[in-house]
Amino acid sequence: MTKETSGPDQLIYLFSKLPGLGTRSARRIVLHLLQDKDLRLKGLIEGLQDAAAKINCCTICNNIDYSSQCRICLDQQRSDNIIAIVETVAELWALERTGRFKGRYHVLGGTLSISANRSPADLKLPNLLSRCNNHQTKELIIATNSTLDGQTTAYFITEYFKNYPIKTSRLASGIPIGGELDYLDEGTLWAAFESRKPFE
């Protein structure tokens, strides 16, 4: 973007850099906002300013919320016996949408990655170990993505906790419900093949 770029073009450029949006989608969003600046654009600006001022990273699990400790960590109805380890808050939200998991979380903030300059220290595993010890946690569910970095990170976490009396498990991977073999990528298909179990 050049220095001369301003006004709507600048907004389009900024929106186009958001995940899942390209230039065409960004243009439609900007036009929608500008059709009623007083209501739509100002409302968005106020919402963003409020979020920037109030949203924090949870000091316990690294989730995001309006307080220093998120609602999940403060929920006394949830179990400390089991903790799901996820890459980002996006995966935490995905698991929460199922409405079935009633344990706690540990958000890594990403995976081990040379290209992204992320080292083992960035995973904050000593903090997680301290939580496990303080609450007698029995199981860690490693819920990283099935990418090369995700699998490398999962292996590192397993090795880190192997000498402690805490069970580590990994999310199953393979064929989704309703999936057809012909439409699956090779990695997913092989993971399903390797994770096969007796027919019941």
Side-chain angles (χ1 to χ4, degrees):
M1 186 173 67
T2 64
K3 290 183 179 179
E4 289 76 20
T5 304
S6 60
D9 289 337
Q10 183 181 27
L11 282 177
I12 292 169
Y13 173 81
L14 292 172
F15 275 107
S16 70
K17 295 304 176 185
L18 295 175
L21 293 181
T23 303
R24 292 181 65 183
S25 297
R27 188 179 295 115
R28 285 195 297 269
I29 291 171
V30 169
L31 288 173
H32 174 76
L33 292 172
L34 294 179
Q35 283 175 358
D36 190 344
K37 290 193 299 182
D38 290 338
L39 180 63
R40 298 172 183 170
L41 190 58
K42 287 185 179 179
L44 177 61
I45 291 171
E46 290 172 1
L48 290 172
Q49 289 175 333
D50 185 64
K54 296 180 180 178
I55 290 181
N56 299 294
C57 185
C58 178
T59 57
I60 298 175
C61 73
N62 303 319
N63 187 17
I64 55 174
D65 210 324
Y66 277 95
S67 61
S68 60
Q69 294 182 5
C70 72
R71 284 166 285 185
I72 294 174
C73 287
L74 293 174
D75 187 350
Q76 298 300 313
Q77 301 301 313
R78 301 186 78 113
S79 173
D80 291 310
N81 291 333
I82 187 167
I83 297 176
I85 302 174
V86 295
E87 291 183 20
T88 68
V89 174
E91 287 78 34
L92 185 158
W93 287 354
L95 287 174
E96 282 296 286
R97 285 198 299 271
T98 69
R100 295 175 179 269
F101 183 67
K102 300 302 179 184
R104 307 288 185 179
Y105 292 95
H106 178 77
V107 181
L108 298 170
T111 57
L112 294 176
S113 174
I114 296 175
S115 60
N117 197 29
R118 287 187 57 80
S119 69
D122 295 313
L123 304 181
K124 299 182 180 179
L125 296 184
N127 293 0
L128 176 58
L129 177 59
S130 178
R131 287 177 65 195
C132 292
N133 290 334
N134 290 339
H135 299 286
Q136 291 79 50
T137 300
K138 295 180 173 61
E139 181 181 2
L140 295 174
I141 302 174
I142 303 174
T144 54
N145 293 315
S146 296
T147 60
L148 179 59
D149 285 345
Q151 292 173 343
T152 300
T153 303
Y155 177 77
F156 180 85
I157 295 170
T158 301
E159 287 294 299
Y160 184 91
F161 283 95
K162 70 178 181 180
N163 295 322
Y164 297 99
I166 306 169
K167 175 185 177 182
T168 56
S169 60
R170 184 91 164 93
L171 286 186
S173 58
I175 302 172
I177 295 174
E180 298 180 26
L181 298 187
D182 189 43
Y183 292 96
L184 298 178
D185 64 89
E186 290 81 2
T188 300
L189 187 57
W190 182 247
F193 188 83
E194 288 291 281
S195 301
R196 66 190 182 279
K197 60 182 181 180
F199 188 78
E200 299 175 354

